[in-house]
Every structure is written in C-alpha cells, then in structure tokens.
Amino acid sequence: MRRIALISAILEEPEKCQHQFNEVVAAYRPIIKGRMGIPFDEHGVSVISLTVVGTLDEINSLTGKLGRLEKVTVKASISKKQLP
C-alpha cells in the first residue's frame, strides 16, 4: 500500500552536496509529486521539501539514501492513511 509523505532536507554547504542530492532525487522521480527549495545563501544552507506518494519501502529507501549524503540532514513524516 502507498502512503503520502513529506521529506524535509537541510543541505549545509549546498555547493558541495547539491549535485549528489539531485541525482538521488532524480532516481525516485516517479514517486515525487512536489518539490520546494529555499536557499539561505547568507547562511550557506538550503532547505528542501519533497512531497512523495509511494510504498513505505520506497519512501524509506529515498530518505535513507539522502540521509547518507555528507552535509545533508533528512527527516520524513509519513501519513498513517494507506492509499490504494
């Protein structure tokens, strides 16, 4: 069963990790329904939120791969409601 989730990421020093972050996100393109990014250039940080619809395995896989990137902090909020 699929669920809706919000994955939030903070990229510290985005110039060093943004390319890898985008490569991982592109690999999960089928489950990504929305993306919003806010650069905080004056602080050297970017905040990105991804809205996804997928299985728990897909959501956890994406979150895990992003979280293993250097200078990236990731959290996921997953709905309890299951979708068909």
Side-chain angles (χ1 to χ4, degrees):
M1 298 300 278
R2 299 177 320 142
R3 296 182 188 218
I4 297 172
L6 176 65
I7 300 172
S8 57
I10 298 174
L11 284 63
E12 298 175 10
E13 301 179 35
E15 66 281 353
K16 293 183 179 179
C17 59
Q18 193 164 12
H19 181 71
Q20 289 178 312
F21 183 91
N22 288 333
E23 284 182 348
V24 173
V25 169
Y28 286 84
R29 190 174 176 165
I31 69 167
I32 296 173
K33 302 303 176 193
R35 175 179 176 159
M36 179 180 66
I38 302 172
F40 290 92
D41 294 332
E42 66 276 14
H43 301 293
V45 172
S46 288
V47 177
I48 299 173
S49 63
L50 303 170
T51 302
V52 301
V53 177
T55 64
L56 284 176
D57 285 345
E58 291 170 326
I59 295 166
N60 289 332
S61 177
L62 172 56
T63 304
K65 287 180 182 179
L66 293 175
R68 284 191 290 277
L69 297 175
E70 192 172 335
K71 302 288 186 179
V72 177
T73 303
V74 179
K75 297 290 181 186
S77 298
I78 303 172
S79 69
K80 294 178 183 176
K81 181 177 181 174
Q82 296 184 357
L83 305 175

